[in-house]
Amino acid sequence: MKTCSSGRLLTLSDDPWLDPYRDALRRRAARAAEAAVRLADGHSTLADAAAGHEYFGLHRRGGEWIFREWAPHAAGICLVGEFSNWVPQDAFRCRRTEAPGVWELRLPGGALRHGMLYRLHVAWENGGGDRIPAYARRVVQDPHTKIFNAQVWAPPDPYVPREARPPAPAFPLIYEAHVGMAQEEEGIGSYDAFRERVLPRVVDAGYNTLQLMAVAEHPYYASFGYHVSSFFAASSRFGTPDALRRLVDAAHGAGLRVIMDLVHSHAVNNEVEGLSRFDGTPYQYFHAGPRGRHEAWDSRCFDYGKIQVLHFLLSNCRFWLDEYRFDGFRCDGVTSMLYHDHGFGPPFASYDRYFDGSVDEDALAYLTLANKLIHAIRPDAVTIAEDVSGMPGLAAPLAHGGTGFDYRLAMGIPDCWFKLARDTRDEDWNMGYLWRELTNRRQDERTVSYVECHDQSIVGSKTMIFQLIDAPMYDAMRVADRHPAVERGVALHKIIRLATLATA
């Protein structure tokens, strides 16, 4: 983080370019404060309000099961599953509560057993359909039919974490990983295999933070976990909830902090598995009409102006911190959240672009509340914004009028490195240009700099080492080989990583 000559950290108020927009900044802060008041209605704190996961969904309370769901436009909801031969039965029909849109079902303790499969049958005006509960904590896919169902998860001997969380490091050295792809064997990797085989290598390499992708359940594996369907369910492709708890606990024991990719920027289109048309309407969790669809990503866009949506998403933030002991989040797709055009409109060439009416101020208010909540629950938690727009104040402290992220991803740096490696001979690289790109950041925020990540794979690009070496990668990578392209590529790879780290 940069400082001024006195050593004091610069704040938003030190930026003279923001002077014409002070009223807009105050209005945005007031919007977040107003939403916090609405959320905290009847609760003492925002953290108390963000506990929807303890109220909604299926829970064993004392000697009975209690299930609740928010579905304001539903005409009826019935649990169906192995216990009912997959047909609606009166004993499993939910009843409306006094709370608007909330349905409830109470069952004796013997009605459900650990491991049973279930889903909801939701009826609405002129129709109905099966749905996975929005707060389901365990969702599994049948290996033969490929159908997803919720699963009762109440093991008799659940895993209890044993390790203390490591203290926050002065700065995070982050290893990004996808559990399913981080193994040499064919097939999908597991939480247990990652814990046993990959985790020690991450520790030995000197990292202090592990970032896990694709944690929340998603129906399409090739989406890299970015089309989330069940926001409160750890993906069953990689193992059980206890297996994920063991992985996080082992990482803590090895001195690693663990953060996860949090995808609150959009949701999968799927209706049975996801939230789309959950109660028969397209706008329960999402915007109505074209605004509710992300055409570029083929997904649904949350309506952050709805208090119930804020409650759902904030509760999701707290859930992962409480239930799996994650140490923070890399928030995905922040640029897409912040702008009505998802950042695909005019270039961000001046400050006017941040205040010209294109910003979704409800989304900005949500991000402010999310950071406030996360740091209230875990003051040492880390939050990282994936934003390419340069929105002022995004990674400035809440106390300084910022949105409260601890870091912003320096997304232009990998683009710079790959462009150079692809288009320019390395002996012709311009050091002045490189220095500017590696140090070009706002003075009121810290950034996470990196050479490459999963983004390059998603768009069909190469890894940096493959970009540098190319064809000799196939036949000249043995220790005994002395291929100049390989030796030069390996040396450049080390230099690129060192320069990125040193300027971060």
Side-chain angles (χ1 to χ4, degrees):
M1 183 185 291
K2 291 185 179 179
T3 62
C4 61
S5 58
S6 66
R8 179 176 60 84
L9 294 176
L10 295 182
T11 68
L12 278 175
S13 60
D14 294 307
D15 186 349
W17 294 98
L18 281 173
D19 287 342
Y21 311 105
R22 297 296 174 189
D23 289 343
L25 290 172
R26 283 189 283 268
R27 183 187 69 245
R28 290 175 178 180
R31 198 185 197 100
E34 178 189 349
V37 170
R38 293 168 62 202
L39 276 163
D41 183 29
H43 301 278
S44 57
T45 66
L46 180 62
D48 292 333
H53 54 291
E54 296 297 342
Y55 181 79
F56 291 105
L58 181 66
H59 300 279
R60 183 73 179 259
R61 298 284 188 255
E64 67 175 351
W65 291 97
I66 303 176
F67 174 81
R68 296 189 185 95
E69 191 69 73
W70 175 65
H73 293 92
I77 298 179
C78 186
L79 258 68
V80 297
E82 296 175 296
F83 44 81
S84 69
N85 293 319
W86 295 100
V87 295
Q89 295 182 6
D90 288 344
F92 298 98
R93 293 190 187 280
C94 300
R95 292 168 176 78
R96 290 185 185 273
T97 70
E98 294 182 358
V102 177
W103 299 77
E104 182 181 271
L105 173 65
R106 293 176 179 262
L107 295 169
L112 303 175
R113 297 189 308 276
H114 171 64
M116 278 185 165
L117 302 179
Y118 71 100
R119 57 171 57 190
L120 305 180
H121 183 76
V122 182
W124 52 78
E125 186 178 357
N126 301 320
D130 285 357
R131 297 290 186 265
I132 302 296
Y135 286 82
R137 297 194 180 195
R138 171 74 169 166
V139 176
V140 296
Q141 185 179 27
D142 187 286
H144 304 294
T145 65
K146 307 302 180 184
I147 292 174
F148 284 87
N149 284 298
Q151 186 177 43
V152 178
W153 194 255
D157 188 24
Y159 181 78
V160 178
R162 301 171 176 85
E163 304 289 348
R165 294 184 176 99
F171 54 88
L173 293 173
I174 303 170
Y175 185 93
E176 179 193 72
H178 184 294
V179 167
M181 301 178 190
Q183 64 172 13
E184 295 182 6
E185 295 82 1
E186 292 183 2
I188 297 174
S190 67
Y191 299 123
D192 286 338
F194 189 97
R195 172 174 53 84
E196 294 167 1
R197 303 171 193 169
V198 181
L199 201 57
R201 298 178 65 177
V202 178
V203 174
D204 289 345
Y207 293 92
N208 59 33
T209 304
L210 173 66
Q211 175 188 322
L212 294 180
M213 300 169 57
V215 175
E217 192 59 84
H218 47 288
Y220 184 43
Y221 186 58
S223 75
F224 282 78
Y226 292 113
H227 277 192
V228 175
S229 53
S230 296
F231 285 78
F232 292 85
S235 180
S236 60
R237 287 184 179 89
F238 315 133
T240 66
D242 279 354
L244 177 57
R245 290 189 178 96
R246 281 194 297 269
L247 167 56
V248 175
D249 201 33
H252 285 163
L256 284 173
R257 306 243 296 172
V258 187
I259 63 176
M260 66 173 277
D261 269 12
L262 189 71
V263 186
H264 286 177
S265 48
H266 62 139
V268 72
N269 271 329
N270 300 41
E271 296 182 358
V272 175
E273 299 88 358
L275 300 175
S276 190
R277 285 212 324 139
F278 187 88
D279 67 355
T281 65
Y283 49 80
Q284 180 184 352
Y285 286 94
F286 311 108
H287 287 288
R291 191 178 171 191
R293 298 202 170 271
H294 199 307
E295 297 298 335
W297 292 354
D298 190 28
S299 56
R300 300 302 312 276
C301 299
F302 285 108
D303 183 350
Y304 304 102
K306 275 190 175 181
I307 204 70
Q308 297 90 341
V309 173
L310 293 180
H311 184 241
F312 178 84
L313 295 175
L314 290 171
S315 297
N316 192 236
C317 294
R318 179 164 190 174
F319 169 80
W320 293 109
L321 295 173
D322 289 351
E323 291 296 317
Y324 290 96
R325 303 175 79 229
F326 280 97
D327 301 297
F329 306 101
R330 189 206 79 134
C331 296
D332 176 73
V334 168
T335 305
S336 178
M337 297 172 69
L338 286 176
Y339 302 94
H340 296 303
D341 59 18
H342 305 300
F344 297 132
F348 298 94
S350 73
Y351 273 42
D352 287 341
R353 180 72 166 88
Y354 307 121
F355 301 95
D356 62 0
S358 65
V359 173
D360 185 340
E361 296 193 354
D362 287 327
L364 190 61
Y366 164 67
L367 292 171
T368 303
L369 292 179
N371 278 291
K372 181 179 180 180
L373 169 73
I374 292 164
H375 292 108
I377 297 170
R378 287 281 310 280
D380 64 336
V382 63
T383 56
I384 304 169
E386 188 202 32
D387 171 57
V388 73
S389 75
M391 167 66 73
L394 194 64
L398 293 168
H400 295 170
T403 306
F405 282 99
D406 296 298
Y407 296 89
R408 185 203 300 270
L409 277 182
M411 298 179 69
I413 289 178
D415 291 340
C416 166
W417 282 124
F418 274 86
K419 187 177 189 316
L420 280 175
R422 185 182 63 248
D423 300 338
T424 307
R425 296 188 312 162
D426 53 88
E427 55 264 47
D428 295 330
W429 289 358
N430 185 301
M431 293 298 106
Y433 164 77
L434 255 179
W435 174 257
R436 181 184 182 280
E437 291 298 316
L438 291 171
T439 59
N440 182 22
R441 59 179 67 93
R442 292 193 177 279
Q443 297 184 356
D444 56 4
E445 62 189 26
R446 295 176 291 181
T447 60
V448 173
S449 300
Y450 58 108
V451 176
E452 58 190 333
C453 72
H454 66 274
D455 286 336
Q456 283 72 46
S457 299
I458 287 178
V459 299
S461 185
K462 305 173 182 178
T463 62
M464 177 54 72
I465 193 69
F466 208 112
Q467 185 70 57
L468 293 169
I469 297 176
D470 205 47
M473 285 281 287
Y474 292 111
D475 56 15
M477 290 294 288
R478 292 178 295 274
V479 174
D481 291 332
R482 308 299 298 177
H483 196 291
V486 172
E487 293 187 350
R488 190 175 185 88
V490 170
L492 280 169
H493 197 267
K494 293 177 180 179
I495 291 171
I496 288 170
R497 292 166 65 195
L498 176 61
T500 304
L501 175 63
T503 54

